[in-house]
Amino acid sequence: MTALWLAHRTSALWLAALVHRLSGLALATFLPLHFLTLGLAISGEAKLESFLRWSDQPVVKLSESILIFLLAIHMLGGLRLLAVENFAWFDGQKRLAVVAAAMAALVAVVFLARVF
């Protein structure tokens, strides 16, 4: 009974929906930090410069590429959802989910390569 109840969770489309929601939550968590950084620009040049020097660390650069991946996967997943909701269903939906994930990974790798 339990295996049948959880069977849908192995579907690529269910995983795509899960990744879309989790990436949205991660981006929502990041947003206050982004606003805090923007607030540093208002409060003074020295504070912003100090933060920008700190952000040159490799760990922060890696975090930025993870953020770019999350943005890309969320955007591409959202576009896939718009297609699902507004166009007729077709058999290639799973393929679209995989392509969206691959494109997001490619965007993140290109960003990481440009940063380093």
Side-chain angles (χ1 to χ4, degrees), residues 10-70:
T10 59
S11 167
L13 296 178
W14 187 87
L15 291 173
L18 177 67
V19 168
H20 186 257
R21 288 185 177 148
L22 291 176
S23 65
L25 289 173
L27 292 171
T29 303
F30 165 76
L31 206 53
L33 298 173
H34 179 67
F35 290 142
L36 180 65
T37 303
L38 290 175
L40 290 175
I42 295 171
S43 65
E45 184 180 329
K47 288 182 179 180
L48 179 62
E49 183 62 33
S50 172
F51 176 79
L52 291 177
R53 274 195 308 272
W54 174 81
S55 69
D56 279 337
Q57 298 179 51
V59 172
V60 176
K61 297 293 182 185
L62 181 63
S63 299
E64 287 174 347
S65 37
I66 291 170
L67 178 66
I68 294 297
F69 173 75
L70 291 173

